[in-house]
Amino acid sequence: MSSTHLTRRTLLAGATAVALGATTIGTTVKAAAAELAQVPYIWREFSRSPFTHPQIPYVGRAGHCGGAARFPRPRHFADVTEYGAVPDGTTDCAPAINRAIAAAGRAGGGTVTIPPGTFRIDGLIHIGDSGVVLRGAGSGRTTLYATKSLTELIGVYGSRYGGDKSAWSWAGGLIWLAPRARWDSLVAAVQSRAWPFEGWTGNKRDEWTPLTAVEPARQGSWTITVADPEGLHPGRLVLLRLADDPAHTLLQHMAGGGPGPASYSWDDKTKLLSYVPYEWPVRVTRVRGRRVTLERPLPLDVRPEWNPQLTTHVTELTGSGVEGLTLEVVETPQSPHLLDKGYNGVALQCAYDCWVDDVTVTNVDNGFGLVAASACTLRRTRVAGRGSHHPYFCREGSHDNLIEDFTIEQRTVPAPPNTQLHGINVEGLSSYNVWSRGEMQMGTFDSHRGLPFADVRTDITVNNNGRHGGDANAGPLFGARFTHWNIRVTNGRAGLMKIDGLAPYSATVGVNEVTEFDQIDVPDFTGDLHARLELYGTTDAVRPRNLYDAQRDL
């Protein structure tokens, strides 16, 4: 009995020891997991007040149709081969493809398909009507082989700010989505050397009329009160227009306000001043008396001194897209900095609720461009080949766009002397844009100055070897509410990744340890920047992992 009793006690003690050991191991594993995956305090703050957080912008509605997971599938209209396109790699198919696209536009929209094969294009492809989708058989199956530059096809395009720069370094595409009338006016202006403004209100920014004044409201509000709701209805796209005042309080507000922006010298920033008034396109979703609900919350305060109003604009391109193809450009050496000839990829201009999906561009001067484009999605896009000046550019007041699942491949040839590499560019008061789930084998998080604000880069791996651009007279690198969240910097370079010392009212969260070298910037604003830094020195530890996805879930 005693022997049996001792054996049981021994077994019980052993079992207890094993259980305690397992508990200790489990606790250790859980502690390690908790250390590896951490929820920063700033996320808890944001969750309580997502529309008005001082450092993190609300971007949960960025992208086509508020970030919809699926794109529309308009009825099939025609195959380009029905209009004379031949996938032999030698016949110029641009006229046939454009005829099919134009016919679909005249018919009220539809999908124009391109079968597998290689189609040579000696001209650019233009989508100028809403509801038209150009769809290949997949980026690995359908190729458009482009042989000419925009300089050859349209003409020399100089800068409206003077000098010998080529505006094809930041404008236009060999696949160009822009409303027909707006595109015609741009081409006419370039060919007459009357270098235009490129945005929502025409070449001289005079193609708009007032609709109604707007009463004061706070940033983050979804509803505004207008003086006269006549002409406003659900679904209508309007511009919210905010003008700056002589004290530049609008620009100060974009920079977060406070002593630093108040003491900044704004008057000599002539290029920046040319970007205001701030023009924000948004759809009306509801009208109840003088109360108007918007598709997205207000990006800024609305104050009387900025003459806030809703206005008209040039007719937008909406519901159009490009899918499932590769645009391969004839390989030429990359041009010296700012002298690009315009071997450019895909450009969206004065486009709203448009998209690009499963598209690769190769051997381009500039890859994918958003120029006065808003609420558009670029998904599963890739820049490849000999190297690009701007793989992605976002400028001229582009807002609420989503670039996700994107790749910038390592260049296939060494960079020629006097060329420049940027990366994912944003400038010109562009706001509430998101770059998500990216792999950048080269480039940087480029700001070209011009006070972009409230933009997000999240869940991106980057070999940070590019340089930012921007003229001194374009003003600050960053405005308020810039956020870098879960960024994996493979070469350890801090520039434009860790921005707590550069961007006012910003957030740098979940960036691995980095150091300053190569291009090193100093803050534009003096004093306390009110910037936040959390989980610095970690790699892929921050939770939520993707700030945009988490905001949509929230």
Side-chain angles (χ1 to χ4, degrees):
M1 290 291 294
S2 61
S3 176
T4 304
H5 178 67
L6 287 172
T7 301
R8 289 176 177 173
R9 287 181 62 185
T10 302
L11 290 172
L12 180 60
T16 302
V18 170
L20 287 173
T23 302
T24 302
I25 293 171
T27 302
T28 302
V29 170
K30 289 179 180 178
E35 184 178 354
L36 290 173
Q38 303 174 52
V39 178
Y41 184 74
I42 197 170
W43 172 253
R44 295 183 174 92
E45 286 180 354
F46 178 85
S47 299
R48 292 192 292 268
S49 57
F51 308 129
T52 57
H53 193 275
Q55 280 92 10
I56 297 179
Y58 175 73
V59 292
R61 297 281 295 169
H64 167 266
C65 288
R70 296 185 179 183
F71 300 121
R73 290 291 180 263
R75 64 183 177 85
H76 181 263
F77 176 77
D79 189 286
V80 296
T81 57
E82 299 171 30
Y83 284 77
V86 181
D88 59 5
T90 58
T91 302
D92 176 17
C93 299
I97 295 172
N98 282 321
R99 284 196 299 270
I101 291 171
R106 290 192 297 271
T111 298
V112 174
T113 56
I114 313 177
T118 297
F119 296 80
R120 174 172 171 154
I121 55 171
D122 295 338
L124 66 85
I125 304 302
H126 176 224
I127 298 177
D129 297 293
S130 294
V132 174
V133 176
L134 181 64
R135 182 184 300 153
S139 59
R141 302 182 66 201
T142 296
T143 297
L144 301 183
Y145 180 68
T147 64
K148 294 184 179 180
S149 69
L150 293 169
T151 298
E152 296 171 274
L153 297 172
I154 295 177
V156 172
Y157 188 1
S159 170
R160 65 177 184 251
Y161 300 104
D164 61 353
K165 300 174 183 177
S166 167
W168 297 128
S169 301
W170 57 78
L174 291 170
I175 300 177
W176 200 333
L177 290 79
R180 188 169 303 281
R182 185 73 184 99
W183 188 81
D184 288 343
S185 71
L186 286 165
V187 170
V190 171
Q191 293 178 341
S192 65
R193 296 181 174 254
W195 315 133
F197 284 92
E198 300 155 272
W200 286 99
T201 50
N203 294 346
K204 298 181 180 179
R205 299 194 78 177
D206 57 357
E207 296 179 37
W208 63 276
T209 56
L211 292 172
T212 179
V214 181
E215 294 187 3
R218 296 300 300 272
Q219 179 257 321
S221 300
W222 293 72
T223 302
I224 56 175
T225 302
V226 301
D228 181 8
E230 183 73 21
L232 301 180
H233 56 79
R236 180 168 189 179
L237 187 70
V238 296
L239 284 188
L240 172 66
R241 183 178 170 94
L242 301 176
D244 201 12
D245 61 5
H248 302 301
T249 60
L250 175 61
L251 295 176
Q252 292 178 42
H253 177 54
M254 292 175 177
S263 62
Y264 182 79
S265 175
W266 300 98
D267 284 327
D268 62 343
K269 307 302 187 295
T270 53
K271 194 170 188 178
L272 172 63
L273 297 180
S274 75
Y275 298 150
V276 288
Y278 175 77
E279 296 169 338
W280 182 61
V282 65
R283 289 198 193 279
V284 172
T285 61
R286 186 177 186 182
V287 180
R288 293 292 183 271
R290 295 194 300 121
R291 299 285 288 170
V292 177
T293 302
L294 306 174
E295 185 177 24
R296 293 175 176 83
L298 286 176
L300 295 164
D301 286 353
V302 173
R303 302 179 187 174
E305 56 266 34
W306 302 332
N307 188 26
Q309 52 188 315
L310 299 182
T311 76
T312 65
H313 49 82
V314 298
T315 301
E316 70 273 13
L317 183 75
T318 188
S320 296
V322 179
E323 304 175 350
L325 57 84
T326 289
L327 175 66
E328 180 183 351
V329 177
V330 59
E331 187 170 348
T332 59
Q334 186 176 348
S335 296
H337 190 220
L338 298 176
L339 296 178
D340 294 343
K341 295 180 175 62
Y343 291 105
N344 294 348
V346 183
L348 290 82
Q349 187 160 5
C350 296
Y352 194 96
D353 278 337
C354 293
W355 68 92
V356 178
D357 183 32
D358 182 28
V359 171
T360 295
V361 296
T362 186
N363 298 331
V364 292
D365 289 341
N366 302 280
F368 294 89
L370 296 162
V371 183
S374 292
C376 295
T377 295
L378 276 58
R379 181 176 294 154
R380 300 189 297 165
T381 55
R382 180 179 296 264
V383 180
R386 52 90 156 148
S388 305
H389 179 194
H390 296 98
Y392 291 82
F393 55 99
C394 178
R395 51 179 294 273
E396 201 79 5
S398 290
H399 314 291
D400 304 302
N401 297 294
L402 172 64
I403 302 95
E404 64 180 357
D405 301 308
F406 66 95
T407 302
I408 300 173
E409 292 188 1
Q410 185 60 258
R411 64 189 313 136
T412 55
V413 297
N418 302 316
T419 60
Q420 189 62 272
L421 165 65
H422 297 304
I424 52 175
N425 155 261
V426 61
E427 61 181 290
L429 303 184
S430 296
S431 62
Y432 293 86
N433 301 290
V434 180
W435 291 261
S436 169
R437 291 194 301 274
E439 180 186 358
M440 298 173 59
Q441 298 170 14
M442 62 179 190
T444 194
F445 289 179
D446 175 33
S447 166
H448 261 43
R449 299 191 176 273
L451 197 64
F453 66 94
D455 297 298
V456 168
R457 284 93 168 228
T458 182
D459 194 9
I460 298 170
T461 301
V462 52
N463 177 33
N464 185 25
N465 64 354
R467 296 172 68 85
H468 80 73
D471 295 333
N473 64 358
L477 282 167
F478 303 101
R481 298 189 302 286
F482 240 89
T483 301
H484 290 173
W485 187 284
N486 192 18
I487 306 302
R488 301 168 293 276
V489 187
T490 60
N491 64 342
R493 178 182 167 216
L496 300 179
M497 304 287 133
K498 183 177 179 290
I499 56 173
D500 56 296
L502 289 175
Y505 287 93
S506 68
T508 302
V509 182
V511 175
N512 58 282
E513 189 170 342
V514 290
T515 57
E516 293 281 5
F517 61 88
D518 193 25
Q519 188 180 43
I520 299 174
D521 290 289
V522 297
D524 294 291
F525 305 108
T526 58
D528 186 355
L529 294 180
H530 301 281
R532 300 279 290 274
L533 178 67
E534 288 197 51
L535 297 185
Y536 173 61
T538 65
T539 300
D540 209 20
V542 61
R543 296 296 181 269
R545 191 174 193 267
N546 185 293
L547 182 61
Y548 171 75
D549 291 342
Q551 289 197 17
R552 289 191 58 76
D553 292 342
L554 185 68

